[in-house]
């Protein structure tokens, strides 16, 4: 199954560290019984889920969905502990995490997108970072903006003799996983020192840390000499400069919906829908997917039906909203197979 994507148009509120999303009713059109399902997790899809909330209530008036954007790691932990009805993560759950979910779990892909490398260097409007330079900065090997390697990537650019101030996530984050997974794939040194994780082992002295994509965006925005990583739309919303990153073909590519679509166009989904995109063959190289995490077993039939109706709507009508909000779509054949899995597995 191939991942083909569409260009979208997203509106993001980057100021809130924790977004509570009240989803509209989605039980059955004729049902009179109200149901509420509660979820928590990734900040990356929060704008999309917020829009889902407004649109889905037009069709299903009897079920509410509350979603807290608290980070992918927190979402996974709450799924494992059973304190939510569903979770959300930009990092696919690992085998050991899945094994801890006593009610079983299904990974439901909902969207995809790019992670931008954002910077604040006064006077520098365009920055290129090679496959050697980018992991060098985020592993602490390169510490000054006028380092010879950065200058080699950017001939003619007046780079200041100024320390690099690295900004990373303070919380467990799927965005961190997407970013560190790429750097781990292209750099043995980064892999050995930092590693791919929702909580990478950052060894950079005096690294600044922000909560959520909004927190990192805010720190980069107000810190001259800073560099960090955020989901693409947070860079757009905060008017941050994004670096051009060198891809597998040697091209320097800026993050965009088109370049993310190109990168994800050849991704294949396995039977469990779990995908780790480390170094795509084309397009913008730092890309990933986001998932809803739903149980196989719920305490009662009404709760299970509510979750199934929500997933069914997200992967059909909801995907049209992806087009409006700058998220990549899940291709229809994949979406239909996920729906079949959810409808047959959830009890």
């Amino acid at each position: 199954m191939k991942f083909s994507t569409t260009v979208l148009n997203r509106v993001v509120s980057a100021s809130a560290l924790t977004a509570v999303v009240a989803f509209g009713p989605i039980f059955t059109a004729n049902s009179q019984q109200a149901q509420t399902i509660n979820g928590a997790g990734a900040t990356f899809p929060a704008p999309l889920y917020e829009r889902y909330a407004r649109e889905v209530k037009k069709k299903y008036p009897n079920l509410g969905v509350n979603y807290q954007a608290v980070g992918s790691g927190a979402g996974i932990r709450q799924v494992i502990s059973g304190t939510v009805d569903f979770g959300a993560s930009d990092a696919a759950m690992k085998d050991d995490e899945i094994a801890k979910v006593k009610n079983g779990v299904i990974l439901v892909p909902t969207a995809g997108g790019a992670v931008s490398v954002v910077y604040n260097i006064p006077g520098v409007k365009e920055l290129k970072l090679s496959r050697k330079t980018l992991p060098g900065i985020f592993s602490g090997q390169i510490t000054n903006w006028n380092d010879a390697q950065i200058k080699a990537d950017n001939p003619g650019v007046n780079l200041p003799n100024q320390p690099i101030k690295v900004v990373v996530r303070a919380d467990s984050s799927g965005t961190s996983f997407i970013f560190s997974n790429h750097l781990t794939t292209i750099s043995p040194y980064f892999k050995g020192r930092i590693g791919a994780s929702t909580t990478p082992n950052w060894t950079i002295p005096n690294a600044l840390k922000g909560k959520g994509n909004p927190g990192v965006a805010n720190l980069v925005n107000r810190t001259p000499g800073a560099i960090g990583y955020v989901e693409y739309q947070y860079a757009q919303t905060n008017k941050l400069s994004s670096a051009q990153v060198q891809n597998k073909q040697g091209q320097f590519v800026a993050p965009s919906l088109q370049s993310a679509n190109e990168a994800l166009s050849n991704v294949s989904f396995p039977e469990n829908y779990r995908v780790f995109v480390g170094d795509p063959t084309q397009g913008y190289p730092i890309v990933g997917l986001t998932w809803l995490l739903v149980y196989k077993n719920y305490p009662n039939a009404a709760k299970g039906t509510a979750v199934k109706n929500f997933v069914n709507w997200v992967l059909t009508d909801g995907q049209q909203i992806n087009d409006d909000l700058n998220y990549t779509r899940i291709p229809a054949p994949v979406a239909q197979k996920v729906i079949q899995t959810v409808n047959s597995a959830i009890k």
Side-chain angles (χ1 to χ4, degrees):
M1 293 175 287
K2 298 295 184 182
F3 187 100
S4 61
T5 53
T6 348
V7 175
L8 326 156
N9 225 345
R10 178 189 334 164
V11 178
V12 174
S13 173
S15 60
L17 297 182
T18 299
V20 178
V21 181
F23 287 98
I26 48 169
F27 192 46
T28 62
N30 299 320
S31 173
Q32 299 301 314
Q33 181 181 2
Q35 279 288 320
T36 298
I37 56 176
N38 299 300
T43 61
F44 169 89
L48 180 63
Y49 295 171
E50 189 173 292
R51 178 70 179 275
Y52 284 166
R54 296 195 299 269
E55 298 299 325
V56 76
K57 70 171 60 177
K58 298 176 182 177
K59 185 172 183 180
Y60 299 102
N62 296 313
L63 189 145
V65 180
N66 300 315
Y67 178 76
Q68 290 187 312
V70 293
S72 295
I76 290 173
R77 288 194 298 272
Q78 291 193 47
V79 167
I80 291 172
S81 65
T83 57
V84 290
D85 297 314
F86 68 92
S89 178
D90 310 327
M93 293 181 74
K94 299 176 183 178
D95 289 343
D96 62 325
E97 294 170 331
I98 292 173
K100 295 176 184 176
V101 183
K102 65 178 182 179
N103 288 320
V105 64
I106 305 167
L107 277 64
V108 177
T110 58
V115 173
S116 295
V117 179
V118 292
Y119 66 92
N120 181 353
I121 313 174
V124 177
K125 295 183 179 179
E126 183 175 295
L127 180 70
K128 296 178 180 179
L129 296 173
S130 69
R131 292 165 74 83
K132 185 176 181 180
T133 302
L134 180 60
I137 291 172
F138 280 88
S139 60
Q141 293 177 292
I142 298 174
T143 60
N144 200 288
W145 280 116
N146 70 349
D147 184 275
Q149 291 187 46
I150 304 179
K151 291 171 71 174
D153 292 343
N154 298 274
V157 176
N158 186 22
L159 293 162
N161 182 13
Q162 181 178 1
I164 297 173
K165 299 176 182 178
V166 175
V167 183
V168 298
R169 285 284 287 266
D171 51 333
S172 181
S173 157
T175 307
S176 287
F177 177 81
I178 293 169
F179 183 67
S180 63
N181 186 45
H182 173 65
L183 297 189
T184 293
T185 304
I186 67 173
S187 169
Y189 183 86
F190 187 93
K191 180 179 181 179
R193 293 291 298 274
I194 313 297
S197 174
T198 55
T199 54
N201 180 33
W202 299 115
T203 58
I204 309 159
N206 304 315
L208 303 175
K209 296 184 178 182
K211 287 187 176 182
N213 280 291
V216 172
N218 182 54
L219 277 172
V220 172
N221 194 37
R222 59 186 176 88
T223 307
I227 186 170
Y229 56 91
V230 296
E231 188 272 324
Y232 169 64
Q233 191 60 42
Y234 287 89
Q236 297 293 100
T237 301
N238 287 274
K239 297 181 171 58
L240 293 171
S241 298
S242 293
Q244 298 177 42
V245 178
Q246 190 177 35
N247 68 10
K248 201 169 191 175
Q249 297 180 344
Q251 302 165 330
F252 287 95
V253 184
S256 68
L257 290 169
Q258 181 178 352
S259 61
N261 290 336
E262 187 178 0
L264 291 168
S265 62
N266 291 318
V267 172
S268 295
F269 284 81
E271 291 300 314
N272 63 3
Y273 313 113
R274 186 170 61 172
V275 176
F276 303 97
V277 186
D279 190 24
T281 57
Q282 58 190 2
Y284 182 74
I286 314 175
V287 291
L289 302 169
T290 193
W291 291 264
L292 289 176
L293 313 172
V294 300
Y295 298 111
K296 293 180 179 179
N297 295 291
Y298 282 89
N300 58 68
K303 185 78 73 175
T305 299
V307 172
K308 284 193 279 190
N309 283 341
F310 178 51
V311 170
N312 276 251
W313 184 88
V314 165
L315 291 176
T316 52
D317 294 350
Q319 291 296 292
Q320 299 176 34
I321 295 172
N322 291 29
D323 285 346
D324 298 335
L325 301 183
N326 278 343
Y327 287 91
T328 59
R329 281 193 188 195
I330 303 302
V334 177
Q336 285 303 313
K337 187 167 184 182
V338 176
I339 289 172
Q340 291 172 10
T341 298
V342 167
N343 289 347
S344 63
I346 289 182
K347 306 299 182 185

